[in-house]
Structure formats: structure tokens, C-alpha cells
């Protein structure tokens, strides 16, 4: 497990490294693209107080990322929930505990903010990721659906 890890909010300068992480597997390689497509999205995320784009740095290198979104709701007696999305660890850093630390950090942030629930989704084809999330205590309690627009 890497010992010198820093978790921080991403900056505009981190966008190329984040996009490279998003594209660093068979699924992501087929849906990520030209860097110019990401600048406006980063600006929107950065300006939204309910969204945080996080990077994990190891020895000064962006080695992992996730997006943490805080969602207010009426259900569960008005409980705010944290949504974890776009979790990626660079191939050179996989299998060394960085993903575990990244998710633990996100859960701690959700607790600190007072969220009553943390949720995430994972593509069904990412069987290793699903096993990983289950090992951290996440349960497949709902069936998720998406409709591309």
C-alpha cells in the first residue's frame, strides 16, 4: 500500500491526467476522447459546491481519481447522500491498495459532511471492480438503469 498519498481537489491542470485514467481500460478506451471535450465539464464540476473531482497523488503523480457528488433528498427523512463516480486507479498503481484508500477517503468525506448514505454504480462488465466494492462493504441492493441521450 502506498504510504505517501495525497488526496486533493483536482485543478484544471489535472484534467489531461484524469482523462488518461478514464481511458486506461477496455471500456473507457472506447468512450473517452479528445481532451477538448472535457474543459467545460471540468469548469461546471469545479464551480458546483455539491461536486468534487478528486485526485490521488503518489510521489507527485496523479495516480487515481473519483468524482464525489452530494445529493440532497427527501427520502430517508431528508438524508443527504454521496454518489461516488468515475473511480479510476492508474494501471501502474493497481493492486497496491490505492483504490481502497481512495474509497475510504471518499466515505470519510461523506461522513464529515453528514451524509447518511454512500452509493456508487459500476458497469456490470467491471467484475473486478464489483468484487472490490463488495470487499469494502458495498451491497448490490438496487438495480440501476441508464438511458443514453
Amino acid at each position: 500500500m502506498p504510504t505517501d498519498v495525497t488526496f486533493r481537489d483536482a485543478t484544471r491542470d489535472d484534467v489531461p491526467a484524469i482523462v488518461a485514467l478514464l481511458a486506461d481500460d477496455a471500456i473507457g478506451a472506447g468512450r473517452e476522447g479528445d481532451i477538448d471535450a472535457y474543459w467545460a465539464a471540468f469548469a461546471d464540476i469545479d464551480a458546483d459546491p455539491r461536486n468534487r473531482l478528486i485526485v490521488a497523488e503518489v510521489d507527485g503523480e496523479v495516480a487515481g481519481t473519483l468524482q464525489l457528488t452530494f445529493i440532497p433528498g427527501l427520502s430517508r427523512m431528508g438524508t443527504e447522500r454521496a454518489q461516488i463516480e468515475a473511480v479510476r486507479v492508474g494501471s501502474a498503481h493497481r493492486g497496491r491498495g490505492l483504490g481502497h484508500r481512495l474509497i475510504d477517503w471518499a466515505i470519510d468525506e461523506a461522513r464529515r459532511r453528514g451524509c447518511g448514505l454512500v452509493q456508487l454504480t459500476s458497469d456490470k462488465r467491471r467484475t473486478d471492480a464489483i468484487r472490490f466494492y463488495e470487499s469494502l462493504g458495498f451491497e448490490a441492493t438496487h438495480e440501476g438503469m441508464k438511458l443514453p441521450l
Side-chain angles (χ1 to χ4, degrees), residues 1-20:
M1 192 173 290
T3 55
D4 186 25
V5 179
T6 303
F7 300 102
R8 62 173 175 78
D9 290 281
T11 67
R12 191 175 197 285
D13 291 341
D14 296 317
V15 171
I18 294 168
V19 171

Side-chain angles (χ1 to χ4, degrees), residues 58-123:
V58 176
D59 298 324
E61 172 192 359
V62 174
T65 189
L66 62 75
Q67 183 173 341
L68 188 58
T69 302
F70 301 103
I71 305 168
L74 290 176
S75 68
R76 298 177 182 249
M77 298 177 27
T79 296
E80 184 173 61
R81 62 188 66 211
Q83 173 82 23
I84 300 172
E85 282 289 329
V87 178
R88 299 291 192 284
V89 172
S91 55
H93 299 277
R94 290 182 195 144
R96 298 171 37 200
L98 181 58
H100 192 288
R101 290 187 58 189
L102 187 58
I103 296 296
D104 283 349
W105 182 91
I107 292 168
D108 288 346
E109 281 297 298
R111 276 194 188 103
R112 184 189 62 74
R113 186 174 167 110
C115 292
L117 182 72
V118 175
Q119 61 190 28
L120 57 79
T121 61
S122 186
D123 190 299

Side-chain angles (χ1 to χ4, degrees), residues 12 15 38-48:
R12 191 175 197 285
V15 171
Y38 298 89
W39 299 118
F42 173 77
D44 288 345
I45 293 165
D46 195 45
D48 184 344

